Amino acid sequence: MSKKVLVISTSPRKGGNSEQLADACIRGAQEAGNQVEKITLYDKTIGFCKGCLACINTQRCVIRDDADTIVQKMLTADVIVFATPIYYYGMCGQMKTLLDRANPLYSADYSFRDIYMLAAAAEEEESTVDGAVTGLEGWIVCFEKARLAGTVFAGGVTSVGEVEGHPALKQAYELGASIE
């Protein structure tokens, strides 16, 4: 059965290494017969959460910007894939801001079950991604029906395009192809 997959590329750089991981994952997911939508954050306006908690009752944020639209797409996705560059051993700020703004999902009847993370960093150590994983798991734990289903990490890539030929591109493709 086909899944509705939402891939969110959170990098501020168009065509950056984490976005290339996202594109590889998308190819795999589409070839596996899934319905895939890609959202990039570099061209979106996303304000910071105000902490008003109105969204708990309304399932909508009081701030009307691109985050509100993205969160509504997250609500109906079966699978969500986040792609992020690693900054200072954590997810990029754009991703964290979006996760904060996804608070309306907390009390909603969300569809997503499997969450994946694709990450790219200048540092090569596998542990480089641990802070971002911990941050994403902190969000996921608030959604009892969801789980972190997998992570792909491309280390040792800095400039746009350096991920070309990296084994993580194949891993991202295979991750997408395994979604069923």
Side-chain angles (χ1 to χ4, degrees):
M1 186 169 121
S2 174
K3 295 267 177 105
K4 187 174 178 182
V5 180
L6 181 64
V7 178
I8 304 174
S9 177
T10 68
S11 176
R13 294 194 305 188
K14 183 177 182 173
N17 295 310
S18 62
E19 185 172 5
Q20 290 182 47
L21 291 172
D23 291 342
C25 180
I26 289 167
R27 282 191 302 279
Q30 287 173 330
E31 288 177 19
N34 295 296
Q35 175 190 343
V36 184
E37 180 177 0
K38 177 184 174 185
I39 295 174
T40 57
L41 298 190
Y42 56 75
D43 55 351
K44 303 293 186 284
T45 300
I46 300 176
F48 294 115
C49 175
K50 297 182 181 298
C52 68
L53 301 179
C55 62
I56 297 300
N57 297 318
T58 65
Q59 279 80 52
R60 294 297 294 265
C61 184
V62 298
I63 304 168
R64 295 291 183 236
D65 62 8
D66 293 320
D68 183 56
T69 304
I70 295 167
V71 167
Q72 294 308 306
K73 290 176 185 258
M74 291 169 69
L75 175 69
T76 60
D78 299 311
V79 176
I80 301 174
V81 179
F82 291 100
T84 182
I86 300 298
Y87 294 157
Y88 299 106
Y89 297 91
M91 68 183 74
C92 70
Q94 292 83 346
M95 181 170 163
K96 176 63 170 115
T97 299
L98 179 63
L99 292 178
D100 290 348
R101 290 290 304 285
N103 201 50
L105 298 174
Y106 179 72
S107 59
D109 185 22
Y110 57 90
S111 298
F112 56 87
R113 298 297 181 261
D114 290 341
I115 309 289
Y116 295 93
M117 185 171 69
L118 312 172
E123 296 79 19
E124 294 185 25
E125 299 78 25
E126 286 296 320
S127 62
T128 300
V129 75
D130 291 354
V133 170
T134 298
L136 182 55
E137 286 176 329
W139 181 78
I140 293 170
V141 77
C142 297
F143 300 94
E144 63 184 36
K145 296 181 280 184
R147 69 185 180 113
L148 181 60
T151 301
V152 172
F153 174 60
V157 297
T158 304
S159 300
V160 171
E162 279 189 47
V163 76
E164 193 63 41
H166 196 288
L169 279 176
K170 183 177 183 213
Q171 293 168 356
Y173 170 85
E174 290 170 349
L175 182 150
S178 73
I179 296 172
E180 33 182 66

